[in-house]
Amino acid sequence: MRYSGKIVLVTGARRGVGRLLAEHFLREGAQVIGFSRHADDLSVKGYTPIAVELGDAESVVRGFNQVRKTFGRVDIVVNNAAVLTSQYSMIMPPAAALGMLETNLFGTFMVSREAAKLMRKGKWGRIINIGSMAASLEPIGDSIYAATKAAVATLANVMAKEFAPLNITCNTLGITAIETDMLGQLPRDKVDAVVAGLPMPRYATADDILNVVDFFASERSSYVTAQTVFLGGVN
Ligand SMILES: NC(=O)c1ccc[n+]([C@@H]2O[C@H](COP(=O)([O-])OP(=O)(O)OC[C@H]3O[C@@H](n4cnc5c(N)ncnc54)[C@H](OP(=O)(O)O)[C@@H]3O)[C@@H](O)[C@H]2O)c1
């Protein structure tokens, strides 16, 4: 029960990586808040789903008002939610490009700063951004997506400096491919080819991700901030 007594917020907790993170924190004794766009069907003790549109500043602030009223604080935040449209830049629909900037980058910014406002009272916090191998591999078709994933690491690095006096750490985990709805949007042969080219040529497992999230979230990692860890040998 390593997270007993902790309040953990996971964005995009309704599906995919976010759901496996939420379930992990719940198993380990945390009270978990899940921000997602749609109504969440997970109804278990200790889980509080809140509908939030991350691209909308007011919606994020409303979500945090609810967190403040219900819990009074938050200890660990995982900025996991993101959207992906993979398309050559010249034919990428502008609305899709904007959608990635709004959710992946602006949403991460808003959640991190609102969380830090709550964390500063207790002078303790962990902010963990879920990045992507795309930030390093810079694949064709992913100009905006890869840029947003590089940007969330930069965001964490700057916030790490701003929040260091408050004992709040900010780090990024760049994950490789794992079976989710987002992955299903991409042609499987393209993803297989990318995975085959990794130094460790396999898909990520849930445990690969949870291991690094636990490391960043740990009490013992209080001197670890502004770091990006990539899975699978990506750098
Ligand atoms: N899967 C991979 O292979 C892979 C590889 C590298 C990096 N990643 C990263 O891993 C993270 C999780 O990806 P995933 O594959 O689990 O994605 P996913 O299956 O598509 O799930 C995305 C989650 O984010 C939420 N979300 C999206 N836009 C939102 C918005 N504007 N406001 C609020 N919530 C929003 C969704 O909410 P709803 O459920 O309500 O729609 C959903 O719960 C992302 O940061 C992604 O970039 C994934």
Side-chain angles (χ1 to χ4, degrees):
M1 288 295 195
R2 76 176 85 202
Y3 296 114
S4 181
K6 294 283 190 237
I7 313 289
V8 180
L9 167 62
V10 179
T11 69
R14 199 176 75 91
R15 292 186 279 134
V17 172
R19 174 53 54 94
L20 71 86
L21 286 166
E23 286 174 346
H24 171 67
F25 285 116
L26 284 165
R27 267 195 311 275
E28 294 286 342
Q31 299 257 34
V32 179
I33 304 147
F35 279 4
S36 298
R37 290 176 289 200
H38 304 101
D40 196 324
D41 59 2
L42 184 64
S43 160
V44 294
K45 194 170 166 289
Y47 184 63
T48 306
I50 303 178
V52 169
E53 170 48 62
L54 291 171
D56 174 353
E58 284 178 17
S59 176
V60 175
V61 170
R62 271 198 303 277
F64 271 94
N65 284 342
Q66 202 171 322
V67 171
R68 189 176 294 106
K69 268 189 215 136
T70 312
F71 300 99
R73 64 171 222 276
V74 66
D75 302 305
I76 299 167
V77 167
V78 185
N79 283 303
N80 160 80
V83 288
L84 163 69
T85 301
S86 196
Q87 189 54 272
Y88 287 103
S89 302
M90 282 193 281
I91 55 172
M92 170 74 76
L98 213 48
M100 285 184 271
L101 290 170
E102 286 171 351
T103 296
N104 306 6
L105 179 54
F106 182 67
T108 299
F109 168 75
M110 283 302 299
V111 168
S112 302
R113 74 173 208 154
E114 294 305 309
K117 290 179 195 174
L118 281 179
M119 290 168 171
R120 78 176 149 195
K121 289 184 199 148
K123 278 214 159 198
W124 196 95
R126 301 280 185 267
I127 297 175
I128 302 164
N129 292 348
I130 301 298
S132 170
M133 61 180 177
S136 168
L137 303 180
E138 300 174 346
I140 285 175
D142 287 342
S143 56
I144 290 279
Y145 176 76
T148 64
K149 288 292 158 180
V152 296
T154 303
L155 205 65
N157 295 347
V158 176
M159 287 182 168
K161 292 177 188 162
E162 295 181 4
F163 304 159
L166 304 171
N167 206 20
I168 299 168
T169 66
C170 307
N171 294 288
T172 304
L173 167 58
I175 70 172
T176 52
I178 182 166
E179 195 65 60
T180 63
D181 294 345
M182 181 183 281
L183 192 80
Q185 290 172 232
L186 300 168
R188 184 46 61 106
D189 54 343
K190 186 185 162 193
V191 182
D192 284 347
V194 171
V195 170
L198 297 177
M200 290 185 162
R202 66 165 174 80
Y203 282 69
T205 65
D207 199 51
D208 295 326
I209 295 169
L210 298 176
N211 175 44
V212 184
V213 167
D214 285 340
F215 167 68
F216 284 145
S218 157
E219 196 72 55
R220 295 182 69 202
S221 295
S222 61
Y223 201 46
V224 177
T225 197
Q227 302 303 308
T228 299
V229 171
F230 283 105
L231 297 180
V234 175
N235 60 30

